[in-house]
Amino acid sequence: MRYCVLLLTLIVMNISYAQEKLTFEDAVKIALENNFDIKMIENDAEIIKNQATVGNAGLLPTVDVSAGASYTNGVNANVGREIELTNVNAGLGMTYTIFDGMGRFNTYKKLKQSSDVAELRERADIESVILQLSNEFYNLAVADENLKIAKEGLEISKERYLRAKTKFEFGKTRKVDVLQAEVDLNTDSLTMVDASNNLASAKRNMNVLLGRESNLNFNIAIDGVDFAKLELQVIKEDALERNASYLEAVSDMDVKELDLKITQASLFPKLSFSANYSLQQVEQDQFALNFDDPKGTVATGLTLSYNIFDGGKRNIERQNAKIALENSRLQKESFELMLIRDIENGYANYQNSLLKVSIQENSLNVAELNFQQVEERYNLGQMTATEFREAQLNLLQSKSNLYTSIYEAKLTEIELYRLRGTLLN
């Protein structure tokens, strides 16, 4: 018995120790700054954004510089004598594609569109992480409430045990009542130990999501839970304009259209411009890497080319691009249907969750009233220990059920915000 009291004292001391207060808003803010998954998501999106440049699309000219030197020493058959020749040269060349059937321009548009898709995918992935964070936060909230409920149950059982022990000492109750009270006290002590362990585990899970050391201690802070008044039709309309995953599917169609245009560019001839400037100096009968009197040469030209036959490769590429575009359109339509379905299911779950909260609130009121009456009659000797214990457990379970229903309803609401596309707002 003394062990149980000591255990209770240690747990209460641990709970009451001054710690960081973590609200849901604080958790989201910390996660956006520190969460490793979010950082990697942002880095992946940045890689795609960096590719959306005019140079990467081939819209800028290419410039090359070259330099070289050669030395020849041997017998020249034409002159019948040994010769020695040094050749030093340098050059600068530039090429630019003037026309290629708009292939480069469409490639640049595709890179920009892919960058926009990357931003949408980044937002969708971050929303998934925030949704996971929401689940962990409210699971933590349930664990925190369950610990408080376990503490309350332990206090009730402790008071009952002390009362039964005092009555037994004065000969007003049986030994079996004291033993039963002690059994229930030990049971509630174990319940509190489990609740404390569950809370500690939930805190470690939260810390990992927040990108910080798992053993960092803190207290969760929830100042009431309010529920938004949501309208189904408004959620549907907003989702088709804001849902990141749906907009990604729509944007993917634009990318596939540009892919088709890029393949169609091969139907046109290609016109290129080139310019070269070279310097050369030749020294005879000596080895000398001099470049004091070079001769300059300028060369420019236009090249028009057209591939007449490539074994049907271009035709296959265009056909596949058309098929990919059609698949993208089908995927967008399918996603729209699933999105509306998920919204309707989520909204129905939300309404059902709010109804469950209302029922659980009424159930708790009844359980509290019942426990008060049973406790009064038990203290007067008009109720058995079994009836008291049953009323106690009903009260504690009703409280646990209510908090669970409240936080489940909040998670359902957050999921609707994600489907609506306003979670990060």
Side-chain angles (χ1 to χ4, degrees):
M1 184 61 226
R2 285 178 296 180
Y3 173 75
C4 293
V5 175
L6 176 60
L7 178 62
L8 171 61
T9 303
L10 291 174
I11 293 177
V12 171
M13 288 176 61
N14 183 58
I15 295 172
S16 60
Y17 187 80
Q19 296 165 354
E20 170 197 359
K21 295 289 185 179
L22 183 71
T23 65
F24 180 71
E25 291 74 15
D26 292 335
V28 172
K29 181 179 179 181
I30 295 173
L32 290 175
E33 295 176 352
N34 298 339
N35 180 271
F36 293 108
D37 288 334
I38 291 180
K39 288 182 177 181
M40 289 186 290
I41 290 168
E42 292 173 343
N43 288 338
D44 289 340
E46 190 66 23
I47 291 174
I48 297 177
K49 294 174 187 176
N50 289 340
Q51 296 175 351
T53 64
V54 291
N56 202 33
L59 288 170
L60 297 179
T62 58
V63 179
D64 298 305
V65 62
S66 62
S70 63
Y71 171 73
T72 303
N73 186 358
V75 177
N76 190 314
N78 294 327
V79 298
R81 68 180 181 85
E82 184 177 343
I83 64 170
E84 190 176 8
L85 187 68
T86 303
N87 187 328
V88 181
N89 61 80
L92 182 67
M94 185 272 290
T95 60
Y96 180 70
T97 300
I98 299 174
F99 179 76
D100 66 345
M102 301 298 290
R104 293 167 303 136
F105 290 97
N106 287 322
T107 297
Y108 179 63
K109 290 180 181 179
K110 176 187 174 181
L111 293 174
K112 295 291 290 183
Q113 189 67 36
S114 297
S115 176
D116 294 339
V117 172
E119 288 185 0
L120 292 169
R121 186 177 299 115
E122 175 186 10
R123 179 159 70 90
D125 290 341
I126 291 176
E127 287 175 345
S128 296
V129 175
I130 297 302
L131 189 63
Q132 181 185 1
L133 174 69
S134 303
N135 276 280
E136 291 295 341
F137 183 87
Y138 286 108
N139 284 338
L140 175 59
V142 170
D144 186 63
E145 295 295 348
N146 283 338
L147 180 57
K148 294 176 183 177
I149 293 170
K151 178 184 176 182
E152 179 183 351
L154 187 57
E155 290 290 345
I156 294 173
S157 293
K158 180 182 177 182
E159 182 180 349
R160 173 190 160 200
Y161 169 77
L162 294 176
R163 184 184 296 274
K165 185 178 180 182
T166 301
K167 284 185 176 182
F168 176 73
E169 292 173 353
F170 285 94
K172 294 183 178 181
T173 190
R174 300 171 300 170
K175 179 65 175 179
V176 67
D177 293 332
V178 179
L179 295 175
Q180 184 61 54
E182 186 173 0
V183 169
D184 292 338
L185 177 59
N186 289 335
T187 299
D188 291 343
S189 297
L190 293 174
T191 299
M192 187 165 181
V193 170
D194 288 339
S196 179
N197 182 63
N198 290 338
L199 178 60
S201 178
K203 286 184 177 181
R204 287 190 287 269
N205 292 338
M206 176 59 67
N207 280 328
V208 171
L209 274 177
L210 297 181
R212 56 191 193 179
E213 294 183 359
S214 61
N215 61 354
L216 181 64
N217 210 347
F218 62 92
N219 284 331
I220 192 170
I222 300 179
D223 298 328
V225 178
D226 298 323
F227 297 105
K229 294 182 178 179
L230 303 175
E231 297 182 13
L232 179 59
Q233 188 59 34
V234 174
I235 297 175
K236 290 181 180 180
E237 293 173 357
D238 286 347
L240 296 178
E241 295 180 359
R242 301 181 181 181
N243 182 278
S245 297
Y246 175 72
L247 294 179
E248 181 184 346
V250 174
S251 297
D252 186 66
M253 287 183 58
D254 297 332
V255 173
K256 293 300 187 293
E257 288 180 355
L258 290 170
D259 281 335
L260 178 58
K261 291 180 179 180
I262 291 171
T263 61
Q264 291 173 339
S266 61
L267 296 173
F268 298 88
K270 181 178 180 180
L271 180 63
S272 301
F273 169 77
S274 63
N276 293 279
Y277 179 69
S278 61
L279 295 170
Q280 184 179 41
Q281 182 169 326
V282 178
E283 298 287 346
Q284 293 185 354
D285 299 328
Q286 64 175 324
F287 175 78
L289 298 178
N290 297 325
F291 212 56
D292 50 3
D293 187 28
K295 306 300 181 181
T297 304
V298 177
T300 61
L302 290 174
T303 302
L304 181 66
S305 62
Y306 181 74
N307 186 286
I308 298 176
F309 180 72
D310 63 352
K313 294 180 180 179
R314 291 177 297 172
N315 186 46
I316 293 175
E317 289 176 353
R318 288 192 296 274
Q319 290 178 359
N320 290 340
K322 290 179 181 179
I323 295 173
L325 176 58
E326 176 62 14
N327 281 342
S328 181
R329 183 188 65 80
L330 294 173
Q331 183 179 15
K332 175 257 181 185
E333 294 180 358
S334 174
F335 193 93
E336 181 176 346
L337 290 176
M338 291 189 293
L339 176 60
I340 298 301
R341 177 207 61 191
D342 291 344
I343 290 174
E344 291 174 343
N345 288 340
Y347 187 80
N349 291 337
Y350 182 55
Q351 298 302 316
N352 184 60
S353 296
L354 295 180
L355 179 59
K356 288 173 62 177
V357 170
S358 178
I359 295 174
Q360 294 293 352
E361 287 176 343
N362 181 67
S363 178
L364 177 58
N365 291 334
V366 174
E368 287 176 338
L369 180 60
N370 178 64
F371 179 74
Q372 291 173 4
Q373 294 178 354
V374 170
E375 185 178 32
E376 291 175 2
R377 297 180 64 184
Y378 174 75
N379 292 335
L380 294 174
Q382 299 174 355
M383 300 289 287
T384 65
T386 301
E387 291 171 322
F388 177 86
R389 180 63 172 173
E390 183 180 354
Q392 176 191 1
L393 294 178
N394 286 339
L395 173 63
L396 300 179
Q397 188 62 52
S398 295
K399 288 187 176 182
S400 179
N401 290 342
L402 175 58
Y403 288 120
T404 300
S405 296
I406 289 174
Y407 297 139
E408 284 180 351
K410 196 62 183 178
L411 287 173
T412 308
E413 178 186 320
I414 292 173
E415 169 64 6
L416 282 175
Y417 283 129
R418 186 190 70 84
L419 293 172
R420 187 179 182 177
T422 58
L423 178 59
L424 295 182
N425 292 350

